[in-house]
């Protein structure tokens, strides 16, 4: 299937099947979505199951389309097992950051694989920092690390301003998960790609500095 590794196919298939179930069964959707009060009441599985639910087909397609483009870089760099590990750690990291930032908002809810997919994106950027990305309305390719840093800075802005119906916190948490796991699996990158590691860490430092100062 378009030269995708079987691990990528399995993850996409799981997202599609669970999301379709959620589209057609509101009680299933409500039971397994991310929700602060339900998680605090003991339904910890929502931190994972919410990552396989989506609001609609457009939401599902965008996440799986992004995963399709970057998964192969990570599979080739680490193998299928570590790729799956990065995916799930990023998913959970996104949920945990959302829990941290929204702990006083019992009605806060979210769904989507965006955190996990963003983690794969950041792993791919660290593995191939010279990768060029084509972006809509921009006539020339943009270095992947510029997109990555810009996206995290935009996520900080989105978190601060509560911009749109988007889980900016989960996106950011997923990026942290992918960043951390990539360095754990390949610590040599800290030496061979010191500048890139430092640049990608800047938005993470900014986020927690702003949180510490009560600015977000």
């Amino acid at each position: 299937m378009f030269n995708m590794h079987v691990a990528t196919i399995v993850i996409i298939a799981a997202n599609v099947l669970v999301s379709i179930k959620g589209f057609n069964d509101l009680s299933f959707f409500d039971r397994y979505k991310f929700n602060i009060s339900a998680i605090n009441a003991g339904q910890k599985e929502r931190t994972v199951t919410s990552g396989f639910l989506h609001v609609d087909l457009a939401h599902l397609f965008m996440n799986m389309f992004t995963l399709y483009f970057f998964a192969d870089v990570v599979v080739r760099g680490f193998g299928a097992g570590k790729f799956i590990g990065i995916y799930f750690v990023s998913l959970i990291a996104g949920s945990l950051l959302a829990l941290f930032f929204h702990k006083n908002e019992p009605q806060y809810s979210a769904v989507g694989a965006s955190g996990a997919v963003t983690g794969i994106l950041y792993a791919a950027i660290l593995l191939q920092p010279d990768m060029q990305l084509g972006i809509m309305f921009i006539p020339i390719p943009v270095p992947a690390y510029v997109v990555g840093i810009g996206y995290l800075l935009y996520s900080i802005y989105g978190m601060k301003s509560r911009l749109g119906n988007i889980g900016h916190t989960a996106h950011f948490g997923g990026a942290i998960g992918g960043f951390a796991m990539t360095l754990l699996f390949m610590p040599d990158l800290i030496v061979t790609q010191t500048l890139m590691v430092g640049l990608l860490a800047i938005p993470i430092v900014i986020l927690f500095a702003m949180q510490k100062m009560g600015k977000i």
Side-chain angles (χ1 to χ4, degrees):
M1 187 187 292
F2 306 103
N3 296 318
M4 280 191 290
H5 191 279
V6 64
T8 308
I9 295 172
V10 167
I11 287 177
I12 290 176
N15 273 277
V16 170
L17 292 173
V18 175
S19 293
I20 289 174
K21 171 68 174 174
F23 296 157
N24 296 304
D25 187 341
L26 185 59
S27 63
F28 177 86
F29 184 91
D30 286 340
R31 172 59 184 83
Y32 292 106
K33 70 183 180 182
F34 182 95
N35 175 266
I36 295 290
S37 61
I39 292 170
N40 287 337
Q43 295 177 3
K44 309 298 185 186
E45 69 277 3
R46 289 174 182 257
T47 58
V48 176
T49 57
S50 59
F52 290 89
L53 290 166
H54 290 81
V55 173
D56 53 31
L57 282 173
H59 186 208
L60 173 64
F61 175 79
M62 185 59 66
N63 277 332
M64 296 303 99
F65 189 64
T66 304
L67 179 64
Y68 164 72
F69 270 109
F70 295 101
D72 189 55
V73 175
V74 181
V75 172
R76 284 189 282 108
F78 288 129
K82 289 180 178 178
F83 161 74
I84 292 171
I86 292 171
Y87 185 91
F88 277 95
V89 168
S90 298
L91 191 165
I92 293 168
S95 291
L96 291 178
L97 197 69
L99 274 171
F100 176 73
F101 275 95
H102 300 286
K103 57 183 176 290
N104 296 320
E105 303 170 51
Q107 298 310 310
Y108 180 86
S109 297
V111 293
S114 301
V117 172
T118 306
I120 295 298
L121 168 64
Y122 272 80
I125 291 172
L126 277 172
L127 289 171
Q128 289 190 10
D130 57 346
M131 182 167 42
Q132 302 286 309
L133 302 180
I135 300 178
M136 233 183 303
F137 308 121
I138 298 179
I140 58 173
V142 179
Y145 71 88
V146 172
V147 176
I149 294 168
Y151 186 73
L152 281 196
L153 293 175
Y154 170 76
S155 293
I156 293 174
Y157 171 72
M159 291 164 66
K160 183 175 175 59
S161 62
R162 301 301 178 95
L163 185 66
N165 188 27
I166 300 171
H168 297 287
T169 315
H171 296 181
F172 205 107
I176 294 173
F179 181 80
M181 291 301 291
T182 301
L183 295 181
L184 178 66
F185 289 148
M186 196 175 286
D188 287 355
L189 288 172
I190 297 171
V191 175
T192 61
Q193 299 290 346
T194 305
L195 177 60
M196 194 58 54
V197 171
L199 287 173
L200 289 173
I202 288 172
I204 299 172
V205 173
I206 290 173
L207 174 69
F208 286 101
M210 289 179 67
Q211 189 274 331
K212 189 73 174 176
M213 294 185 292
K215 301 291 186 182
I216 194 168

